[in-house]
Every structure is written in C-alpha cells, then in structure tokens.
Amino acid sequence: MSLKYAILGLLADQPQTGYEIQKSFAGSVAYFWEAKFQQIYGELRRLEEQGLVEREAAPGRGRQQRKVYAITPNGERALDAWLDTPSPLVPVRSEFLVKVRSFGRLPRERALARLREHRRQNEERLEAYRAIQARLAESGITDESEIPAPLLGPYLTLASGIAYEQAILAWCDRAIALVERRAPAD
Amino acid sequence: MSLKYAILGLLADQPQTGYEIQKSFAGSVAYFWEAKFQQIYGELRRLEEQGLVEREAAPGRGRQQRKVYAITPNGERALDAWLDTPSPLVPVRSEFLVKVRSFGRLPRERALARLREHRRQNEERLEAYRAIQARLAESGITDESEIPAPLLGPYLTLASGIAYEQAILAWCDRAIALVERRAPAD
DNA sequence: GCAGCCATGTAAGGGGTTACATGATTAT
DNA sequence: ATAATCATGTAACCCCTTACATGGCTGC
C-alpha cells in the first residue's frame, strides 16, 4: 500500500513521468522505500483508473510515449487522509541480522570479515546522505524552525537516515571489537 | 530466502516444532525478521524435501500431529555456507517514513500526533529489548569477550536492536521539538 | 556509429499476508 | 464447562522481483 502513497507524495511535489518518479525514489526516498520501474508503471496505471492521478496534456515535442502524470484533487484528498493514519510498527527485515544471530557458528575471522563489510556498506550510504545534506544546506536554511513546508518532510527523513546510519556504524565498531577480543580457537 | 536460513539457524540451537519456531521468532528474531505460522509450516515442508531438516522420531505421548524438526548435517553445511556470504544492503521500507516525507502537507498538530505515536511504539519495543537484556544478564556473563558461542549472535542482535531504538527515539525527540517550534499557521 | 541514458511496458514466479478451517491439551 | 494455548494446515490474493522486450534521444 505504501507505494501508492509514496507515488502520490512525489507527484504532489510536481508532475513527473514514471521514469522520473523512479529516479526521485533513488534520490530521496531510496533508503526507506524503493521500487522498480515495472512496479511504478503498473501502479500509475491503477492510480489513473482510480482517478487519483491524471496524464497531463501536451506530452511534449519530439519524445514519443512520454507520459507526465499529475496528482488530482481526489488524489490529494486520499494522500492527506492516509498521512493522518497510524502506521504499524514493522520489523526491520534485515538479512544481515539473521546471519548475525548465528555468528557463533562462524570462525572468528569470517564473522569479522562480514562485520567489516557491513560497516563499509553503511559508511558509503552515510556519505551519500551527507552529500544530500550538503545540497540541502546550500539552499540557505539558517534556522531549523524556518524550513519551508515542502522541505520539512525530506529534511526529517534525511535526519532519520543519518541517525540510523550513525547508530549502525557505532554498533559495528562495538561488535567488531567484541569479536576481536574473543579467543581465536573456534 | 532469509526465512529458510532463519529457520535453520533456530533449529541449529535445538530441535523444535513449527509452532515453537514461530514463538522463537517472536522472542528473539522478532525485530529483524518475522513470519506467520503458515509460512513456517510451508518452509519446513520444503526444507524436509531438500533433506536439510528431518522430523524427529518419537513425536510424543498424547499430542497428535506434533512434528518436531531437527537440522541435518546437510542443513548445517547449507547454513554455514550461507552465513559466510555477503548480504546486500537493503532499504528500510518504513511506511512511517513514507508518511514523514509528506509531513509538510499535514496540519502541525496532526504531524505531532503521528510523531508522538511513533515515539511511544518504539519506546515499548525498547522496553521489550531491555527485558530480554535483563534475562541475558542474569545468565551470569561478567566479561563481554567471554560470551559462549551460542549466545554471541543473540547478544549482538539484541545490542543492535537497542542501538537502533535509541537512535529512533532521539530522532523522534528532535523531530517533535522542531515541528513544535514551527509557526502554527499552516 | 555506438554507448549510455531516457522511457515504457509484458510475463512468470517468489515471498508474504489474510481468510478460512480443524482439533487436542491445559488451566480456571 | 469454557477459555486460552498448543498445533497444523489450505486457498486466494497482493506486492515485489527477475527476465524479457522495445524504441527514441544525446553525446562522443
């Protein structure tokens, strides 16, 4: 269900094509939701049938097939109603943590290799967030409480992503140190 | 794919029924993976076909239908091979954060209600982890580096869960404070 | 001319959820 | 007796991924 509203949320910012929506996902929604092209195109078709989005006229000189979608008033109502709805607390669903739970079975060095790899991956993601943060900072926000409404959401989710990655990195360091101190004989 | 190995990992600790596996999920794996009964029973049947688990003899006096599964040597090999495999970095897939991204559309008080609700949910989960932590501490671990191998994994995942929840709570507090400071006129 | 990006789709299959269904054991 | 817990399953459906398929535009 979230994909539907994630798309409506992006279209509420500005009309876009399915391709652009997928790119928008990659640039801002990426770390808390992702979707493939195929899924987005299918969802857009369904949203259009429901009258929540519409294809804009004047699809544009040259490019054939290009379909620009915009949110409709009904779409905005549906989005706003959903926004003010409780969200269930879901499990993290981390394949990595499923592995960690059985790390006692792994030779110490192999467990360390997996932990270091995980740390590096999350470090890269944190750097990507820092880059987005730098771009946001350039848009001239001096006081946090003065953030314009359209940027409030992206600002908060970015802060959440950064806090999350920092917590993971700190945990990785603790876990690596702990495993390193263990007796090498497994 | 993770469910398969999550089950193998639990059966490597001790033989269990499908019902008990589901309960084990709830008691320790819960926050990073979850599964319904139906899915576990289906997966167990497939694992048995593949020879990775087997039904134990002597299903027990009285209770009909009770099927106790145990991991086989082939199952242990498959589990250990998977454990030493890289895990892809996946997005968080949080419905709540999809909502937060559009919080600029919501009246201030409604956004605050949603944030406080989220904080409370995560506070409860943190308390549940603290309870598990207390039980683990009672088993008499004095030195972290002396944790017996079978407890290493659960210890690390628990620490990860606690770190994650603390980061979320800190973010909630920041977000709530920020939104409270905004001009009430939306 | 070719690589890379823009742009949109169909089909098959896997993983997970929800609804439905059954029945034994244990505690009050 | 009755409720809660233990215990196992089938069927339909939804969401998502992977593989396959097509074609235009842009820069080197």
Side-chain angles (χ1 to χ4, degrees):
Chain A
M1 269 299 91
S2 292
L3 177 64
K4 172 177 174 179
Y5 296 103
I7 291 176
L8 286 176
L10 286 170
L11 290 180
D13 291 347
Q14 54 181 316
Q16 292 171 75
T17 67
Y19 189 86
E20 286 164 342
I21 288 170
Q22 208 269 345
K23 291 292 165 192
S24 298
F25 266 74
S28 102
V29 195
Y31 98 95
F32 56 89
W33 208 269
E34 71 167 12
K36 312 278 155 128
F37 289 120
Q38 294 88 330
Q39 219 189 329
I40 290 170
Y41 291 129
E43 195 62 49
L44 280 171
R45 192 170 36 72
R46 246 167 290 147
L47 286 169
E48 199 185 3
E49 283 166 17
Q50 293 167 25
L52 304 180
V53 305
E54 60 188 2
R55 256 181 284 184
E56 286 208 322
R61 60 267 172 228
R63 272 202 200 83
Q64 276 125 347
Q65 276 218 90
R66 190 177 148 88
K67 298 180 183 174
V68 180
Y69 289 92
I71 194 167
T72 64
N74 270 340
E76 293 202 59
R77 267 190 293 276
L79 173 60
D80 289 335
W82 180 76
L83 287 179
D84 198 10
T85 279
S87 307
L89 193 59
V90 290
V92 175
R93 275 196 191 275
S94 159
E95 179 181 318
F96 178 72
L97 286 174
V98 172
K99 279 181 184 145
V100 171
R101 214 206 74 97
S102 295
F103 264 15
R105 300 181 58 82
L106 221 48
R108 208 186 60 158
E109 282 309 321
R110 301 314 307 153
L112 283 171
R114 295 278 81 86
L115 285 167
R116 291 187 184 121
E117 185 178 63
H118 188 68
R119 194 195 191 285
R120 188 172 33 72
Q121 287 176 334
N122 280 283
E123 215 166 4
E124 277 170 29
R125 194 147 70 171
L126 178 57
E127 275 162 34
Y129 294 159
R130 293 280 190 214
I132 299 174
Q133 195 180 38
R135 270 194 279 127
L136 246 159
E138 275 167 29
S139 62
I141 296 160
T142 48
D143 184 3
E144 263 197 335
S145 62
E146 296 292 324
I147 295 167
L151 285 182
L152 175 66
Y155 182 87
L156 288 177
T157 52
L158 183 61
S160 161
I162 289 172
Y164 174 71
E165 292 302 331
Q166 286 174 336
I168 288 188
L169 290 182
W171 173 83
C172 281
D173 289 337
R174 274 188 57 204
I176 289 167
L178 191 152
V179 176
E180 275 174 346
R181 280 201 309 275
R182 289 173 68 80
D186 274 297
Chain B
M1 270 297 89
S2 291
L3 177 64
K4 172 177 172 179
Y5 295 104
I7 291 175
L8 285 176
L10 286 171
L11 289 180
D13 290 348
Q14 53 180 319
Q16 290 171 77
T17 68
Y19 188 86
E20 287 164 342
I21 289 170
Q22 209 268 349
K23 292 292 165 192
S24 297
F25 266 74
S28 104
V29 194
Y31 98 94
F32 55 89
W33 208 268
E34 70 167 14
K36 313 276 155 133
F37 289 119
Q38 294 89 328
Q39 220 187 331
I40 290 169
Y41 291 129
E43 195 62 50
L44 280 170
R45 192 172 34 74
R46 245 167 290 146
L47 286 169
E48 198 184 4
E49 282 166 17
Q50 292 167 27
L52 304 180
V53 305
E54 60 187 2
R55 256 181 283 183
E56 286 208 322
R61 62 266 171 226
R63 273 203 200 82
Q64 275 126 347
Q65 276 218 90
R66 189 178 148 88
K67 297 181 184 175
V68 179
Y69 289 91
I71 195 166
T72 63
N74 270 340
E76 294 203 57
R77 268 190 293 275
L79 174 59
D80 289 336
W82 180 76
L83 287 178
D84 198 9
T85 279
S87 306
L89 193 58
V90 289
V92 175
R93 274 195 192 277
S94 160
E95 179 181 317
F96 178 72
L97 286 173
V98 172
K99 279 181 184 144
V100 171
R101 215 207 73 97
S102 296
F103 262 15
R105 301 180 57 83
L106 221 47
R108 208 186 60 157
E109 282 309 320
R110 301 316 306 155
L112 283 172
R114 295 278 82 84
L115 285 167
R116 290 188 184 120
E117 183 179 64
H118 187 67
R119 194 194 192 285
R120 189 172 32 72
Q121 287 175 335
N122 280 281
E123 213 166 5
E124 277 169 29
R125 195 147 69 171
L126 179 57
E127 273 163 34
Y129 295 159
R130 293 280 190 216
I132 299 174
Q133 196 180 38
R135 269 195 279 127
L136 246 158
E138 276 167 28
S139 63
I141 295 159
T142 48
D143 184 4
E144 262 197 336
S145 62
E146 295 291 324
I147 295 167
L151 286 181
L152 175 65
Y155 181 87
L156 289 176
T157 52
L158 182 62
S160 163
I162 290 172
Y164 173 71
E165 292 301 331
Q166 286 173 335
I168 288 189
L169 291 182
W171 173 84
C172 282
D173 290 337
R174 276 188 55 204
I176 289 167
L178 191 151
V179 175
E180 276 174 346
R181 280 200 309 274
R182 289 173 69 79
D186 277 297

